[in-house]
Amino acid sequence: MTARTHAAAQSRRNARAAAVATSVECPEAVARLQNALRMAPDDPALTRDLQTVLLNWGIANLAADRLDAAAERLHAAAQLGERADVLRALGITQLREADYPAAATSLERSLQLVPNDANALLALAEVYLKQDQRPQALDLLHRAREAGVRNPDL
């Protein structure tokens, strides 16, 4: 198989996996992308697509209150590379699981990547409140307001 033929085959596998992911068949999309990555382990587009499918699947699990499944998907997504949206979703999952030290670590790292992410700021403020770290929580709430959060309760 020539490099051009191989690239075309990878592109077709990637497109099929993306189509499956949009039809909410995440397990099949993950399996297809993992298979494609075994054939082309250095393909950043495949890695990014797999990470995005895992992130979306994890967020869907989180929304359905399936915290163990959400954590599993989001940890797998985080293993594929550092992204603020993945770390934020993982931190929110850990917060809901009451794993406050892990949530703080994930959310702090997310904020290092995107310092004005209002959702990460609010989630980390909640973590700090749960840990009785009120001054740090208040600082984050002020930062969230500066980042554009408009809530009269802040």
Side-chain angles (χ1 to χ4, degrees):
M1 181 181 296
T2 68
R4 187 177 195 158
T5 306
H6 182 69
Q10 287 301 111
S11 180
R12 284 191 302 277
R13 280 192 288 276
N14 191 29
R16 282 194 303 268
V20 168
T22 59
S23 68
V24 192
E25 295 181 21
C26 293
E28 186 177 343
V30 167
R32 286 175 183 249
L33 286 163
Q34 287 172 332
N35 185 43
L37 269 170
R38 277 190 286 280
M39 292 183 228
D42 297 325
D43 187 329
L46 290 173
T47 301
R48 177 90 178 176
D49 288 349
L50 176 57
Q51 187 179 44
T52 299
V53 170
L54 288 166
L55 170 63
N56 292 337
W57 192 8
I59 289 171
N61 288 152
L62 180 60
D65 208 30
R66 292 190 302 263
L67 300 181
D68 288 343
E72 180 181 336
R73 307 300 180 252
L74 294 167
H75 276 290
Q79 296 283 319
L80 295 171
E82 202 166 56
R83 280 177 47 184
D85 54 351
V86 171
L87 291 165
R88 180 185 61 236
L90 179 58
I92 290 169
T93 302
Q94 293 162 328
L95 167 62
R96 291 193 42 203
E97 291 177 315
D99 186 353
Y100 304 127
T105 298
S106 296
L107 292 164
E108 287 166 354
R109 184 62 191 136
S110 176
L111 286 167
Q112 287 174 350
L113 298 171
V114 181
N116 293 322
D117 180 336
N119 291 321
L121 289 165
L122 292 172
L124 186 54
E126 186 175 344
V127 169
Y128 285 161
L129 284 173
K130 299 281 188 188
Q131 294 179 312
D132 249 357
Q133 297 175 7
R134 295 190 193 292
Q136 295 91 328
L138 186 58
D139 178 57
L140 289 171
L141 292 173
H142 287 296
R143 285 180 52 196
R145 182 167 239 171
E146 291 170 4
V149 173
R150 298 291 172 239
N151 183 332
D153 294 334
L154 286 183

